[in-house]
Amino acid sequence: MPADPRLIVPLDLPSRAEAEVMVETIGDAVAFYKIGLQLLAGGGMDLAKRLKARGFNIFLDWKLHDIGATVEKSAAAIVESGACDFLTVHAEPQVLRAAVKGRGGNLQSKILGVTVMTSLNDHDLAEMGYALDVEALVARRIGQVIDAGADGVIASPHEAALARRLGGPDFLVVTPGIRPAGASLDDQARAATPASSLASGASHLVCGRPITAARDPRAAALAIVAEMAG
Ligand code: C5P
C-alpha cells in the first residue's frame, strides 16, 4: 500500500453511498478515514465497521460533550464497536476523564481532545464568558488532556508545536486545515502545508477537500503522500 498511515481523509460526504464510492476511488492511496457527524447520522457506524474489517484505520469524530456518566457509556459503546482507532471529545476535564474511563482497557482506541474549535476567535470566547484568549485556553486544555490520561489533541497546525512540546514524543497531535502548497484554502483560515505541519510536531494530518473535491482524488492523495515524504 502506498498510503502514509499519518494521512487521514475525512469522508465529509452527504451519504454513505457517496462515501463508499470515494473510498473505492482513492483505493490504496489512503489507509485512514475520518467519519464525522453528518455520516454518523446516516449509517456511519456501519460504514466504520465495514471499512475496519477491510483493514482501514477509522477516526470517529463524535466530539462527545455531555455529563460524565453519558460520555462514559457512549465512549464505551463506540469503542466496543471495534471500529474506532481515534475518538474525539471536547477537552473539558469531566468529559475527558469520563471518556478515558469508558474506553477502559481498549487501548487501541485513542481518545483525542478538541481544545478550542478553530471557528472561535478571542471575541467569540469573551462573548461565551471565557476570561482566557484562544492561545491561553488551548494551552490550558492541552494540559487537561494530559492530566486526564487521554492520548492527544486535535490542534490547528499553528498549535501543533505547543501540543508536541507539552505532550511529549508519544502524544497524538492531529492537525486539520492541511492544504498542499498553492491550493485553495476553502474556509480554512489558518491552513498549513503537509510538510510544515509535520515539521511543527503533528503526528497525523487531516486533509479533506484537496483530495475529495479533486478531479482525481487518488492522484491528489498520492501527491500529498509524496509531500509528506518530503
Ligand atoms: O476539507 P478539509 O480539509 O477542510 O476538512 C477538514 C476536516 O477537519 C473536516 O472534517 C472538519 O470538520 C475537520 N476539522 C477542522 N478544523 C477543526 C476541527 C475539525 O477542519 N478545528
Side-chain angles (χ1 to χ4, degrees):
M1 208 186 238
D4 186 317
R6 300 171 299 174
L7 174 62
I8 303 173
V9 174
L11 292 170
D12 292 329
L13 295 156
S15 72
R16 178 179 166 172
E18 284 159 277
E20 287 183 324
V21 169
M22 183 57 66
V23 170
E24 296 317 313
T25 304
I26 293 173
D28 61 2
V30 167
F32 210 147
Y33 284 104
K34 177 167 97 68
I35 298 178
L37 292 176
Q38 186 181 10
L39 271 188
L40 287 167
M45 286 302 295
D46 280 343
L47 174 63
K49 287 181 206 166
R50 273 177 56 121
L51 293 179
K52 187 71 194 162
R54 289 174 53 190
F56 291 103
N57 287 330
I58 305 297
F59 173 173
L60 293 176
D61 197 7
W62 276 101
K63 290 192 181 73
L64 298 178
H65 191 194
D66 209 317
I67 60 167
T70 302
V71 170
E72 182 183 334
K73 285 184 267 185
S74 306
I78 292 164
V79 162
E80 279 158 21
S81 73
C84 180
D85 294 287
F86 287 179
L87 170 64
T88 45
V89 304
H90 282 272
E92 292 178 13
Q94 286 188 1
V95 174
L96 290 160
R97 284 195 296 268
V100 169
K101 198 167 168 200
R103 180 263 303 271
N106 295 303
L107 297 179
Q108 80 288 353
S109 296
K110 306 299 184 191
I111 306 293
L112 304 177
V114 178
T115 55
V116 178
M117 308 281 283
T118 45
S119 54
L120 299 176
N121 60 27
D122 292 343
H123 172 78
D124 296 316
L125 289 186
E127 193 176 52
M128 291 162 72
Y130 287 93
L132 300 179
D133 63 15
V134 170
E135 201 183 327
L137 188 56
V138 167
R140 186 184 182 102
R141 288 187 165 172
I142 293 170
Q144 290 169 334
V145 167
I146 296 164
D147 289 347
D151 303 287
V153 290
I154 310 298
S156 85
H158 302 264
E159 294 152 358
L162 174 68
R164 173 63 55 220
R165 185 155 45 79
L166 295 176
D170 297 331
F171 200 57
L172 295 170
V173 179
V174 179
T175 55
I178 302 301
R179 291 294 178 267
S184 151
L185 295 184
D186 302 307
D187 49 11
Q188 294 288 3
R190 300 200 296 148
T193 64
S196 71
S197 209
L198 291 173
S200 302
S203 60
H204 294 80
L205 310 180
V206 177
C207 183
R209 285 163 289 180
I211 295 171
T212 55
R215 212 171 309 138
D216 183 344
R218 177 178 164 76
L222 289 173
I224 287 172
V225 170
E227 270 196 66
M228 291 169 74

